[in-house]
Amino acid sequence: MLNQNQTPLLDALKACVASPHAPFYTPGHKGGKGISHLLADLLGKAVFCADLTELAGLDNLFAPQGVIYEAQELAAEAFGALKTWFLVNGSTCGVEAAILATCGEGDKIILPRNVHSSAIAGLIVSGAIPIFVNPEYDAVLDIAHSITPTALESALQQHPDAKAVLTVYPTYYGVCGDLQAIAKITHQYNIPLLVDEAHGPHFAFHPQLPTPALAAGADLTVQSIHKVLGAMTQASMLHVQGHRINIDRVSKALQLVQSTSPSYLLLASLDAARQQMAVDGKYLMSRTLELADNARTRISQIPGLSILEIPPKEGFSPGFIALDRTRLTVNVSGLGSTGFAADDILDEQLGVTAEFSSLQHLTFIISLGNTQADIEQLVQGFETIALLKKSLLRKQSLSTQVQKNYESQLSPREAFFAVSETLPLEYASDRICAEIVCPYPPGIPILMPGEVITKAALEYLQQIQAMGGFISGCADTSLKTLKVVSC
Ligand SMILES: Cc1ncc(COP(=O)(O)O)c(C=O)c1O
């Protein structure tokens, strides 16, 4: 057992800041002395003293032997891994590296159609061939959950040569599928289970939260420590356990997708966030769960609103067997509103900002940084929204999400690098898409390179946009045109 009170990386950074010297190395602002006063007005100067690079005593992210090695060992123990890597380019680079470390050009990987765009980037960079499995889809709520064990089993029977399975656990909505069964099936084929656990790094720290991916049998998992714990934006971790992952290949893959000048502010924030959770995690998560439960109970009593809850036993659904109660998804369709319209009012008039909105819902992340005052503001915001005249809440007809069978003649990589042309949207259907087209958040692509563009997908994207959703990933985010592979 290591001493989880220690913070070796943070301590080394502090020591470096405290040792006076004439700096002739990057970054150019030299401890904040060269910083723009505009930035200093916002951030103060202290933060720049710690914005250091790989100096003697601060170790090297790509060949760690000193304080980064020690900090990663502590993190591995705290999160239940055999080995942990600190990431400075978010879970985005972790998911890319997970695919690069397990699949080469032409290798098959099984993954859900509702993966985050970082997995599509991983396919493009690696040249792996996606075998998409449709996740379980709740048509009433218009929410995609996890892939089911049965769907995975059938994909593996059809593609026993797949090199890996990647799944998302939990989804952006906090929904968890049956990861234990998914791991068991995956391992019967002697291949690794990779998990995008971007939204679940807190699971290891409280028994009332869903089972962490590693405990459920994942071989590799990627967690955005910055999304729900106390690290700075972009700071994430990749963990592995067992024997199915080649550790050297993960290290090599991470060198391809990360900066050679990692920010020590981010790295130290990972060390501090791990220490905080290892020492006080259970208490912090108990408090967070209390805040979340308080909000759930009160908002669910407001007429016209309902909260995403785990289905009752009789409605058992293998794509939804557990829910992260700290993720609050409020359905506003009973008010005659879209999630987008309610989000606009909450954000612009009532001082409450959600993580993201969709046609029927708003999703809120409740984390260790929230307070009872935040919850009061959230509940009051919804009480106000519920009293608004219906005419103020723009009612729009709701469509169901496009559940598609991925059809392709080209791999994502081939289509991404193919000669492409730009077409007005109305001429793009039935052509092969050459770019990622993705409402953001949640960052789940509706179209991806290599995929045949359907009318339904285009209509869905236009509808999202008309209701105030933001489309990203593509060159023309106004969606007047799309890039397609030239014939
Ligand atoms: C499911 C999922 N995976 C991966 C990512 C990428 O994470 P990061 O923002 O840490 O790069 C996100 C980001 O929203 C996500 O929602």
Side-chain angles (χ1 to χ4, degrees):
M1 277 269 285
L2 301 172
N3 177 357
Q4 289 288 340
N5 269 306
Q6 289 180 328
T7 47
L9 182 46
L10 188 66
D11 296 350
L13 191 58
K14 262 196 205 160
C16 241
V17 171
S19 84
H21 55 269
F24 294 102
Y25 49 78
T26 65
H29 61 67
K30 310 285 163 119
K33 293 193 285 295
I35 216 76
S36 144
H37 69 89
L38 299 173
L39 197 56
D41 283 350
L42 177 68
L43 301 178
K45 283 206 166 172
V47 68
F48 298 101
C49 297
D51 182 24
L52 290 172
T53 185
E54 287 169 325
L55 300 173
L58 289 186
D59 209 358
N60 182 317
L61 183 61
F62 298 110
Q65 292 178 333
V67 287
I68 294 182
Y69 175 83
E70 288 168 34
Q72 291 184 159
E73 288 283 293
L74 283 157
E77 185 184 86
F79 287 87
L82 173 69
K83 182 167 172 64
T84 292
W85 288 259
F86 284 2
L87 313 177
V88 290
N89 291 12
S91 289
T92 299
C93 79
V95 171
E96 289 167 2
I99 297 176
L100 277 166
T102 49
C103 300
E105 177 123 39
D107 286 342
K108 291 180 187 168
I109 177 166
I110 297 180
L111 64 175
R113 179 58 186 81
N114 60 336
V115 275
H116 184 258
S117 59
S118 53
I120 309 304
L123 297 174
I124 293 169
V125 182
S126 66
I129 308 294
I131 306 297
F132 283 114
V133 175
N134 272 335
E136 186 173 278
Y137 175 60
D138 184 328
V140 176
L141 297 178
D142 185 25
I143 293 182
H145 300 321
S146 166
I147 57 169
T148 64
T150 316
L152 174 63
E153 180 111 59
S154 131
L156 279 164
Q157 276 163 5
Q158 287 173 53
H159 302 277
D161 52 340
K163 291 285 191 289
V165 171
L166 185 148
T167 193
V168 181
Y169 175 96
T171 66
Y172 220 139
Y173 299 96
V175 169
C176 298
D178 191 347
L179 200 65
Q180 247 165 326
I182 287 173
K184 203 166 155 210
I185 294 165
T186 305
H187 294 159
Q188 279 163 4
Y189 286 77
N190 279 324
I191 56 173
L193 174 65
L194 320 175
V195 178
D196 174 350
E197 202 182 10
H199 295 274
H202 51 314
F203 289 0
F205 300 98
H206 201 285
Q208 285 177 24
L209 289 167
T211 308
L214 289 172
D219 299 282
L220 178 157
T221 183
V222 181
Q223 300 179 327
S224 293
I225 308 300
H226 68 96
K227 285 193 196 296
V228 278
L229 299 181
M232 290 173 78
T233 295
Q234 283 187 217
S236 290
M237 291 186 195
L238 187 157
H239 311 284
V240 300
Q241 68 176 353
H243 59 276
R244 295 183 190 86
I245 299 287
N246 180 330
I247 299 244
D248 290 341
R249 211 167 141 181
V250 174
S251 293
K252 268 188 356 201
L254 282 170
Q255 289 196 35
L256 296 186
V257 290
Q258 296 209 88
S259 167
T260 56
S261 308
S263 159
Y264 271 76
L265 295 174
L266 302 190
L267 294 173
S269 81
L270 284 170
D271 197 24
R274 182 274 314 154
Q275 187 265 3
Q276 180 188 30
M277 291 312 288
V279 175
D280 289 326
K282 191 157 179 213
Y283 160 73
L284 291 168
M285 287 302 105
S286 294
R287 214 188 53 184
T288 307
L289 280 161
E290 254 172 53
L291 289 178
D293 287 345
N294 181 272
R296 298 182 94 78
T297 312
R298 291 165 68 193
I299 294 171
S300 63
Q301 285 163 1
I302 300 174
L305 298 179
S306 60
I307 306 265
L308 179 68
E309 296 291 0
I310 188 153
K313 277 216 168 70
E314 56 279 14
F316 174 77
S317 127
F320 186 172
I321 69 157
L323 178 70
D324 171 8
R325 285 174 13 228
T326 69
R327 195 58 56 104
L328 187 72
T329 294
V330 182
N331 188 318
V332 292
S333 58
L335 296 177
S337 173
T338 63
F340 298 123
D343 189 31
D344 282 350
I345 296 174
L346 275 175
D347 183 45
E348 289 163 19
Q349 299 173 32
L350 302 172
V352 176
T353 306
E355 168 65 11
F356 78 101
S357 52
S358 58
L359 292 173
Q360 297 192 42
H361 307 100
L362 292 111
T363 296
F364 300 85
I365 296 179
I366 298 172
S367 74
L368 76 187
N370 281 114
T371 60
Q372 186 61 42
D374 296 336
I375 301 298
E376 296 305 323
Q377 207 163 334
L378 175 66
V379 175
Q380 277 165 24
F382 273 114
E383 283 167 351
T384 309
I385 291 246
L387 293 176
L388 285 179
K389 286 217 177 67
K390 290 238 154 93
S391 57
L392 291 176
L393 292 162
R394 284 168 282 145
K395 167 89 175 156
Q396 313 246 6
S397 64
L398 304 177
S399 90
T400 44
Q401 175 153 13
V402 258
Q403 274 284 288
K404 293 185 290 112
N405 289 323
Y406 177 86
E407 262 187 77
S408 178
Q409 292 100 6
L410 295 178
S411 72
R413 180 190 179 87
E414 285 166 335
F416 185 85
F417 290 112
V419 177
S420 65
E421 56 191 289
T422 302
L423 289 184
L425 209 63
E426 54 275 26
Y427 295 110
S429 46
D430 298 330
R431 298 291 299 269
I432 298 175
C433 192
E435 55 187 348
I436 295 176
V437 191
C438 179
Y440 211 99
I444 297 168
I446 298 300
L447 288 168
M448 67 182 78
E451 190 164 26
V452 176
I453 300 168
T454 61
K455 244 190 159 146
L458 294 179
E459 280 166 9
Y460 182 75
L461 285 165
Q462 282 176 313
Q463 202 176 8
I464 296 265
Q465 199 180 37
M467 292 186 193
F470 178 67
I471 307 295
S472 74
C474 44
D476 177 4
T477 53
S478 75
L479 222 57
K480 290 196 179 69
T481 60
L482 259 189
K483 271 187 195 262
V484 302
V485 174
S486 291
C487 296

